């Protein structure tokens, strides 16, 4: 007979399976966007070309720019109803391949990466690394792009043995240029040395068998940890995975948008999932670019409709927050120590590293209450610097009132991070209440 605990564990694992699958199948922003786009299509959303003549009739739309996606459940009259906006980012710190990535050295073929974003480097060592991203190529006489995912550990960055570096446990630093090239195989220079373009061509044929590959032109590829996301902890209360920051928020945003809503069908609900947050957001699809404003402008039509709509709008910018690490409690402000599985965290910084105001914090707290979930708040110690996110950037770009929030996690920007197994659902419930709940006072 299965025990009750066993039954609960089975249910719990089944509930978390779709999130874990999304994390595993989204090794790059391109893959995350493709997976979200597939879900949106299934839910009746139409992919819309920004280059086409777009008439903003009520409907369900989504727009893609590379690794960024905006989806809109548009009901009309934004100048009086406003927009209910949820933002998150699709990218995570990682090791991105250099253009001439494959090099020979000391009996090995190695892949040379560039560090993307503020990665914690040590966790990338001694892991089986896969390779994924987008390849740009000529096929059937035209230029095109395709996603690939070599989802097995084809590369590895081994540690240097402690016998050869006796001081390593006292003073370890990692030289990004010298110490991060990843071993692909044993190979000597010469005619048998692997050809990287040939390797890409084989993978393209494996994943896109009908494609007539003529020439690889360029690529956006990164290494990633192949160890799948898993539920961990004695009470199965944590999720360990790569890219929890910030795919967990992206997932919750999509869940909330697609959830059945009471009043939501009359609202204008938008999710904006931007790439390039980890490198400052300045890009064509990043939060500091024109993507969101351009989509909202077209939904609003001409004149001063957008300005009017934004005065009746609010953005909830969802990005993970630092939970208090039990081994380093003094890194947190004593009265603000967020815990995992204790609900979303409202992020506050009076120097506007977070865009939350008393008004938007209040509204978010009210939403959580109505959804029946707890919520916490965080402010950084006064003697420490504060991180930032897409909230203040989008707030400044659009002039929209904003709350920065996110679930608590540990080990942010590690190759493998830790979050609460119950927080994703609480965040999705809060965002669902934001989209579908009561009339707001703005
Ligand atoms: Co983040």
């Amino acid at each position: 007979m299965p025990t009750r605990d066993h039954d609960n564990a089975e249910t719990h694992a089944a509930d978390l399976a779709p999130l874990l699958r999304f994390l595993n199948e989204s090794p790059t922003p391109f893959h995350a966007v493709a997976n979200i786009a597939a879900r949106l299509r299934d839910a009746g959303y139409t992919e819309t070309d920004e280059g086409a003549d777009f008439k903003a009739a009520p409907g369900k739309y989504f727009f893609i720019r590379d690794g960024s996606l905006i989806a809109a459940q548009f009901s009309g009259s934004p100048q009086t109803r406003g927009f209910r906006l949820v933002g998150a980012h699709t990218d995570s710190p990682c090791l991105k391949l250099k253009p001439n990535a494959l090099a020979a050295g000391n009996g090995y073929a190695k892949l040379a990466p560039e560090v993307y974003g503020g990665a914690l480097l040590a966790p990338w060592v001694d892991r089986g690394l896969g390779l994924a991203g987008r390849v740009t190529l000529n096929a059937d006489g035209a230029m095109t792009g395709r996603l690939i995912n070599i989802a097995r550990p084809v590369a590895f960055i081994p540690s240097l043995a402690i016998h050869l570096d006796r001081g390593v446990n006292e003073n370890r630093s990692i030289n990004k240029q010298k110490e991060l090239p990843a071993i692909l195989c044993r190979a000597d220079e010469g005619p048998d040395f692997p050809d990287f373009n040939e390797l890409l061509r084989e993978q393209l044929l494996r994943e896109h068998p009908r494609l007539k590959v003529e020439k690889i032109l360029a690529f956006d590829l990164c290494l990633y940890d192949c160890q799948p996301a898993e539920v961990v902890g004695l009470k199965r209360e944590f999720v360990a995975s790569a890219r929890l920051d910030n795919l967990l928020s992206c997932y919750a945003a999509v869940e909330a948008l697609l959830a059945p809503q009471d009043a939501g069908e009359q609202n204008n609900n938008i999710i904006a999932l931007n790439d390039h947050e980890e490198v400052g957001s300045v890009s064509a699809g990043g939060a500091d670019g024109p993507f969101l404003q351009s989509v909202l402008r077209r939904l609003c039509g001409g004149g001063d409709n957008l300005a009017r709509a934004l005065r009746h709008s609010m953005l909830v910018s969802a990005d993970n927050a630092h939970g208090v690490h039990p081994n380093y409690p003094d890194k947190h402000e004593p009265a603000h120590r967020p815990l995992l599985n204790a609900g979303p965290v409202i992020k506050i910084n009076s120097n506007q590293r977070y865009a939350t105001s008393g008004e938007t914090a209040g509204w978010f707290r009210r939403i959580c209450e109505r959804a029946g979930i707890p919520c916490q708040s965080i402010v950084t110690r006064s003697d420490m610097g504060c991180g930032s996110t897409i909230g203040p950037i989008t707030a400044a770009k659009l002039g929209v009132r904003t709350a920065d929030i996110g679930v608590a996690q540990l080990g942010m920007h590690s190759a493998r991070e830790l979050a609460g197994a119950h927080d994703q659902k609480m965040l999705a419930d809060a965002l669902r209440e934001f989209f579908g709940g009561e009339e707001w006072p703005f």
Side-chain angles (χ1 to χ4, degrees):
M1 277 294 282
T3 64
R4 193 183 171 83
D5 177 57
H6 179 82
D7 284 345
N8 288 343
E10 298 277 297
T11 316
H12 183 50
D15 287 348
L16 286 170
L19 169 67
L20 303 192
R21 195 179 321 122
F22 175 66
L23 291 165
N24 291 336
E25 292 176 358
S26 305
T28 73
F30 301 113
H31 289 85
V33 161
N35 292 332
I36 292 166
R39 273 195 76 182
L40 291 169
R41 265 184 221 107
D42 284 350
Y45 282 71
T46 308
E47 181 168 2
T48 307
D49 177 4
E50 283 188 273
D53 185 17
F54 174 69
K55 294 277 179 291
K60 295 176 175 181
Y61 309 100
F62 70 94
F63 307 82
I64 290 176
R65 287 193 187 187
D66 295 332
S68 303
L69 178 147
I70 294 173
Q73 178 200 294
F74 183 64
S75 307
S77 305
Q79 63 278 18
T80 51
R81 289 180 184 147
F83 292 108
R84 300 184 179 216
L85 301 146
V86 169
H89 65 89
T90 56
D91 60 325
S92 305
C94 68
L95 303 182
K96 205 171 167 206
L97 291 197
K98 294 176 178 176
N100 300 321
L102 192 69
N106 303 298
Y108 292 89
K110 296 189 292 182
L111 289 174
E114 207 183 354
V115 177
Y116 174 87
L120 263 178
L121 294 177
W124 285 87
V125 168
D126 301 335
R127 289 178 177 274
L129 302 174
L131 185 65
R134 181 179 66 180
V135 179
T136 304
L137 66 151
N138 286 337
D140 296 321
M143 194 180 96
T144 184
R146 287 291 186 281
L147 303 192
I148 61 164
N149 180 9
I150 305 179
R152 67 182 180 94
V154 288
F156 201 88
I157 309 169
S159 290
L160 180 63
I162 193 164
H163 316 78
L164 307 179
D165 185 6
R166 286 288 181 191
V168 62
N169 287 335
E170 279 66 52
N171 45 22
R172 177 77 165 119
S173 66
I174 295 176
N175 182 298
K176 294 177 186 172
Q177 173 68 21
K178 282 171 57 185
E179 297 184 64
L180 293 179
I183 291 176
L184 198 59
C185 62
R186 258 281 298 119
D188 295 311
E189 269 180 285
D192 292 337
F193 195 75
D195 177 335
F196 191 58
N197 278 356
E198 197 47 46
L199 194 152
L200 295 182
R201 177 194 298 268
E202 284 167 15
Q203 186 64 24
L204 280 163
L205 291 177
R206 227 169 268 137
E207 294 190 51
H208 310 279
R210 284 200 292 274
L211 194 67
K212 299 259 183 312
V213 180
E214 284 154 12
K215 188 177 185 194
I216 311 283
L217 297 169
F219 52 76
D220 304 277
L221 293 172
C222 60
L223 297 166
Y224 71 94
D225 179 14
C226 280
Q227 186 180 357
E230 62 189 341
V231 178
V232 303
L234 178 66
K235 298 181 181 173
R236 299 182 176 88
E237 64 197 312
F238 309 118
V239 172
S241 172
R243 303 176 295 280
L244 289 171
D245 169 20
N246 193 25
L247 290 185
L248 200 152
S249 305
C250 291
Y251 185 82
V254 174
E255 287 281 289
L257 185 71
L258 300 186
Q261 286 147 8
D262 307 329
E265 299 291 328
Q266 283 85 56
N267 295 335
N268 294 311
N269 295 333
I270 312 270
I271 59 171
L273 310 178
N274 293 112
D275 197 356
H276 299 136
E277 188 272 349
E278 300 292 358
V279 292
S281 293
V282 183
S283 74
D288 206 5
F291 189 22
L292 180 56
Q293 185 160 20
S294 161
V295 167
L296 296 183
R297 189 181 299 285
R298 297 179 75 171
L299 289 172
C300 283
D304 57 6
N305 286 351
L306 178 61
R308 289 179 63 196
L310 288 170
R311 283 315 295 158
H312 301 298
S313 300
M314 177 170 161
L315 166 70
V316 171
S317 163
D319 194 359
N320 293 358
H322 298 295
V324 65
H325 192 307
N327 300 348
Y328 307 89
D330 55 342
K331 294 289 182 189
H332 273 66
E333 209 290 320
H336 302 83
R337 291 182 168 171
L339 292 169
L340 273 54
N341 288 326
V345 183
I346 302 172
K347 306 177 184 180
I348 291 149
N349 178 263
S350 61
N351 295 303
Q352 294 299 305
R353 301 286 290 163
Y354 297 128
T356 315
S357 68
E359 182 188 48
T360 57
W363 188 252
F364 190 76
R365 195 169 283 280
R366 183 178 163 100
I367 284 166
C368 288
E369 266 174 33
R370 288 174 60 92
I373 58 173
C375 97
Q376 320 177 65
S377 37
I378 191 169
V379 61
T380 316
R381 285 178 63 105
S382 305
D383 53 5
M384 278 177 65
C386 180
S388 193
T389 177
I390 57 169
I393 295 169
T394 310
K397 200 94 196 157
L398 294 180
V400 65
R401 61 175 63 72
T402 298
D404 273 303
I405 59 103
V407 307
Q409 72 154 100
L410 299 175
M412 193 178 285
H413 291 191
S414 172
R416 195 164 179 83
E417 304 172 318
L418 194 73
H422 306 288
D423 275 322
Q424 180 276 130
K425 176 153 191 325
M426 287 194 267
L427 175 60
D429 286 349
L431 298 178
R432 180 185 174 184
E433 180 65 30
F434 173 72
F435 280 145
E438 63 181 326
E439 285 283 306
W440 54 19
F442 313 127

